[in-house]
C-alpha cells in the first residue's frame, strides 16, 4: 500500500493550487460579501479540464479516477469553498449525463459542459422530499403518440439555479417510491420553467440557490437518462462521487483555516509572548492537523472504493462524507477560536470558512442520513468482514 501521490496527481494538485491562488483566494471574501457567482472564473477552469474531471474522455472529459479528481477539488476549495463546491456539483451532473444519456444527447451536450460553454445543476430535492428523496412528486408524463414528456413540479435548494443551462431533473414517471423515478436532461431555459429568488444563506454565498418551478415543460423523450424507473439509481450513483467531492471541499477549507491559524498564533502576542508558545494552543493545532489528515485519508479510501467498483463503495462514501465534513467544520471552528475576537470579524477568512462549511454537514444527504446508510449496511450478514 503506497500512500505517496503519483507524479500525475502532484501535477494536477499543483495546477489546481496555482489556479486557486491566482483566481480564487484573492477574490473569495469579496464574492462572499457581494453574493457574486463568478461564472467567468468557473468557465476558465474548463480550460484546465476541471469541469469534466471524471467524465468519459470520449466526450472530452479528463476521465480521471475519483481520487485524482478529489485532489483537484481540495485545492480549489482551499481557494474558495463555495465556488469549488459548485464546480463539484457541475462535475457530478456532467458525469451523469456522460454516463447515462442517449448517445446523441451526450455527444451534443457533454463536451459543452466540459468546456464550460454550458453549466449544470442537479435537481433532486423538493419542498416535501428532502432526506426522503424517493418520495418526490415532480411528474413527467409521456404524451400518447408524442416523443416528449410534460414535466411539472417544484425543485428546491438547487445550486447554481438561474445561472445554469442544463438541469438533470429526477421526476416520477411510475409508481410510488424510488423505482418510479426517472432522470431527465432538461434545458434550463425551456418554456414553463421559472425561478425563485436567490436564497439568503448563512454561507456558500458565492453561488446561487433557488427553487425551480416546472409547469408543463416539454422534455424530448430522448433526454431520458437510461430507461424509465432508473432515475433514482442514477441520482444515488451521482451522489456517491458527489459525497466524496463535498467532503474533500470541506477538507480543502479546513486546510486553509489551519494554515491561517498556524500563522496567526505565531504572530499574536499575549502575556508577553506568542500564543503559539502555549501548550494548549500547540495541542489544539496538533489535533487540527491530525483531524484534517484523517478526513482526507478517509475520503481517499472512499474514492478508491468507487474507482474499484467495490460492493461497499456507497457505505464508504457515506462514512467518509460524514467524518470529513464533521472534522473539517471542527477544524475551521477551532481556527476561528484561535483568532479570538478577530476570528469573528470578516476581515479574516475564518468566519466565512465556518459559515461555508456548515452546509457540508447538511447537503448531498445530511450527516444523519449518512449514518442511516452506514448502520443499515452494517446489519448485513458478514458485513463487518468486508467493511474493514
Ligand atoms: C445550500 C444548499 C444547496 C443545496 N443544493 C442542492 C442541489 O443542488 N440539488 C438538490 O437536489 N438539493 C440540494 N440541496 C438540498 C439538500 O440536499 C437537502 O437540504 C438535504 O438533503 C436535507 O433535506 P431537507 O432540507 O428537506 O431536510 P429534512 O429531510 O427535512 O431533514 C430535517 C432533519 O431531519 C433529519 N432526518 C430526516 N430523516 C431522517 C432519518 N431517517 N433519520 C435520522 N434523521 C433524519 C435530517 O438529518 C435533518 O437533521 C441543497 C441544500 C442547501 C442548504
Amino acid at each position: 500500500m503506497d500512500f505517496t501521490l503519483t507524479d500525475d496527481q502532484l501535477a494536477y494538485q499543483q495546477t489546481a493550487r496555482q489556479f486557486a491562488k491566482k483566481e480564487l483566494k484573492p477574490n473569495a471574501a469579496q464574492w462572499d460579501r457581494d453574493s457574486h457567482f463568478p461564472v467567468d472564473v468557473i468557465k476558465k477552469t474548463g480550460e484546465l479540464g476541471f469541469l469534466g474531471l471524471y467524465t468519459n474522455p470520449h466526450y472530452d472529459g479528463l476521465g480521471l479516477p475519483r481520487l485524482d479528481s478529489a485532489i483537484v477539488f481540495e485545492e480549489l476549495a482551499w481557494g474558495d469553498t463555495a465556488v469549488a463546491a459548485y464546480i463539484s456539483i457541475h462535475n457530478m451532473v456532467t458525469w451523469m449525463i456522460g454516463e447515462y444519456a442517449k448517445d446523441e444527447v451526450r455527444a451534443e451536450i457533454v463536451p459543452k459542459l466540459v468546456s464550460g460553454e454550458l453549466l449544470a445543476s442537479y435537481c433532486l430535492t423538493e419542498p416535501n422530499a428532502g432526506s426522503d428523496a424517493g418520495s418526490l412528486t415532480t411528474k413527467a408524463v409521456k404524451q400518447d403518440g408524442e416523443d416528449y414528456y410534460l414535466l411539472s413540479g417544484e425543485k428546491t435548494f438547487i445550486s447554481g439555479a438561474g445561472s445554469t443551462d442544463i438541469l438533470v431533473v429526477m421526476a416520477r414517471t411510475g409508481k410510488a417510491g424510488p423505482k418510479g423515478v426517472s432522470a431527465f436532461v432538461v434545458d434550463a431555459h425551456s418554456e414553463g420553467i421559472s425561478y425563485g429568488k436567490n436564497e439568503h444563506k448563512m454561507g456558500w454565498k458565492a453561488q446561487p440557490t433557488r427553487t425551480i418551478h416546472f409547469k408543463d415543460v416539454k422534455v424530448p423523450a430522448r433526454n431520458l437518462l437510461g430507461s424509465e424507473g432508473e432515475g433514482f439509481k442514477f441520482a444515488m450513483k451521482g451522489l456517491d462521487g458527489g459525497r466524496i467531492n463535498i467532503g474533500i471541499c470541506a477538507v480543502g477549507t479546513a486546510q486553509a483555516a489551519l494554515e491561517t491559524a498556524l500563522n496567526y498564533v505565531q504572530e499574536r502576542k499575549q502575556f508577553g509572548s506568542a500564543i503559539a508558545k502555549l501548550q494548549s494552543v500547540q495541542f489544539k493545532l496538533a489535533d487540527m492537523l491530525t483531524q484534517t489528515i484523517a478526513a482526507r485519508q478517509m475520503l481517499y479510501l472512499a474514492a478508491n472504493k468507487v474507482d474499484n467498483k467495490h460492493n461497499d463503495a456507497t457505505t464508504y462514501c457515506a462514512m467518509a462524507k460524514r467524518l470529513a465534513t464533521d472534522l473539517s467544520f471542527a477544524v475551521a471552528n477551532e481556527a476561528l477560536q484561535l483568532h479570538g475576537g478577530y476570528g469573528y470579524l470578516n476581515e479574516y477568512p475564518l468566519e466565512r470558512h465556518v459559515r461555508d462549511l456548515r452546509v457540508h454537514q447538511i447537503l448531498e444527504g445530511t450527516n444523519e442520513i449518512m449514518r442511516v446508510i452506514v448502520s443499515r449496511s452494517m446489519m448485513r450478514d458478514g458485513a463487518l468482514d468486508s467493511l474493514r
Side-chain angles (χ1 to χ4, degrees):
M1 205 179 293
D2 185 358
F3 289 98
T4 319
L5 298 188
T6 65
D7 287 348
D8 280 354
Q9 289 168 335
L10 287 170
Y12 281 117
Q13 185 180 51
Q14 193 60 20
T15 308
R17 175 61 74 113
Q18 288 309 331
F19 185 88
K21 226 179 207 167
K22 183 157 170 261
E23 303 278 356
L24 301 179
K25 208 171 188 69
N27 300 309
Q30 194 65 42
W31 292 338
D32 174 74
R33 232 171 270 140
D34 298 345
S35 294
H36 174 68
F37 187 43
V39 168
D40 49 338
V41 177
I42 290 168
K43 287 181 185 249
K44 270 196 207 170
T45 65
E47 291 163 21
L48 300 169
F50 293 172
L51 295 178
L53 282 164
Y54 50 95
T55 296
N56 190 334
H58 189 67
Y59 302 107
D60 295 355
L62 290 184
L64 293 183
R66 303 306 173 104
L67 204 158
D68 299 33
S69 306
I71 289 167
V72 171
F73 290 131
E74 177 178 345
E75 296 310 317
L76 298 178
W78 174 88
D80 189 313
T81 318
V83 172
Y86 170 73
I87 292 172
S88 86
I89 293 169
H90 174 90
N91 267 271
M92 172 171 72
V93 177
T94 303
W95 173 82
M96 284 176 73
I97 300 175
E99 212 60 18
Y100 303 121
K102 311 273 178 293
D103 284 346
E104 76 236 63
V105 174
R106 50 186 173 183
E108 186 186 316
I109 295 177
V110 176
K112 293 180 185 165
L113 290 169
V114 170
S115 71
E117 185 182 335
L118 300 175
L119 295 180
S121 291
Y122 175 90
C123 307
L124 179 64
T125 307
E126 299 181 357
N128 293 315
S131 298
D132 185 13
S135 69
L136 60 83
T137 58
T138 292
K139 261 191 332 195
V141 181
K142 182 89 180 286
Q143 302 304 293
D144 277 347
E146 302 287 356
D147 58 353
Y148 61 85
Y149 289 80
L150 284 182
L151 180 69
S152 293
E154 196 170 284
K155 295 289 176 182
T156 195
F157 287 124
I158 304 306
S159 300
S163 302
T164 53
D165 312 284
I166 295 291
L167 312 173
V168 163
V169 181
M170 272 49 79
R172 188 158 303 286
T173 50
K175 57 182 184 188
K179 294 208 165 108
V181 174
S182 301
F184 297 89
V185 178
V186 178
D187 179 342
H189 312 294
S190 305
E191 202 174 316
I193 294 185
S194 58
Y195 292 93
K197 67 172 193 316
N198 186 5
E199 303 289 355
H200 297 290
K201 307 189 291 289
M202 174 182 181
W204 272 29
K205 288 175 185 281
Q207 55 155 298
T209 308
R210 288 190 166 85
T211 291
I212 311 183
H213 309 273
F214 301 88
K215 188 159 188 304
D216 291 335
V217 178
K218 263 190 184 179
V219 180
R222 67 183 196 136
N223 285 18
L224 174 70
L225 297 190
S227 310
E228 280 194 14
E230 289 193 297
F232 198 76
K233 184 179 75 188
F234 296 156
M236 295 303 116
K237 285 267 175 229
L239 281 183
D240 278 349
R243 286 170 185 158
I244 295 169
N245 304 344
I246 284 301
I248 202 76
C249 285
V251 172
T253 309
Q255 177 74 29
L258 175 57
E259 288 171 17
T260 308
L262 185 59
N263 287 332
Y264 185 79
V265 296
Q266 292 174 87
E267 282 166 13
R268 176 69 177 169
K269 290 199 173 68
Q270 288 295 283
F271 302 101
S273 61
I275 58 172
K277 293 256 167 18
L278 301 167
Q279 196 179 46
S280 69
V281 168
Q282 294 168 0
F283 279 17
K284 258 186 192 175
L285 289 167
D287 284 350
M288 288 158 72
L289 176 62
T290 309
Q291 288 168 329
T292 306
I293 291 176
R296 183 183 295 116
Q297 290 304 322
M298 185 74 196
L299 287 160
Y300 283 2
L301 175 64
N304 175 273
K305 299 288 180 191
V306 175
D307 287 330
N308 290 308
K309 301 189 173 27
H310 191 281
N311 280 342
D312 288 312
T314 298
T315 309
Y316 278 95
C317 290
M319 285 193 280
K321 189 267 185 185
R322 205 284 298 159
L323 185 80
T325 56
D326 283 352
L327 290 181
S328 298
F329 182 79
V331 167
N333 205 23
E334 280 295 10
L336 187 155
Q337 188 72 15
L338 285 171
H339 280 68
Y342 298 98
Y344 200 68
L345 303 184
N346 71 8
E347 266 167 58
Y348 289 81
L350 287 314
E351 60 85 31
R352 172 166 46 86
H353 292 330
V354 170
R355 285 189 289 106
D356 280 343
L357 283 186
R358 188 62 183 82
V359 76
H360 291 238
Q361 297 170 303
I362 296 172
L363 92 167
E364 302 216 355
T366 65
N367 282 4
E368 290 73 36
I369 294 300
M370 297 305 101
R371 291 180 175 97
V372 170
I373 294 171
V374 176
S375 55
R376 196 188 284 146
S377 86
M378 287 174 74
M379 305 292 172
R380 288 183 342 244
D381 280 350
L384 286 187
D385 288 331
S386 65
L387 286 167
R388 50 191 303 178

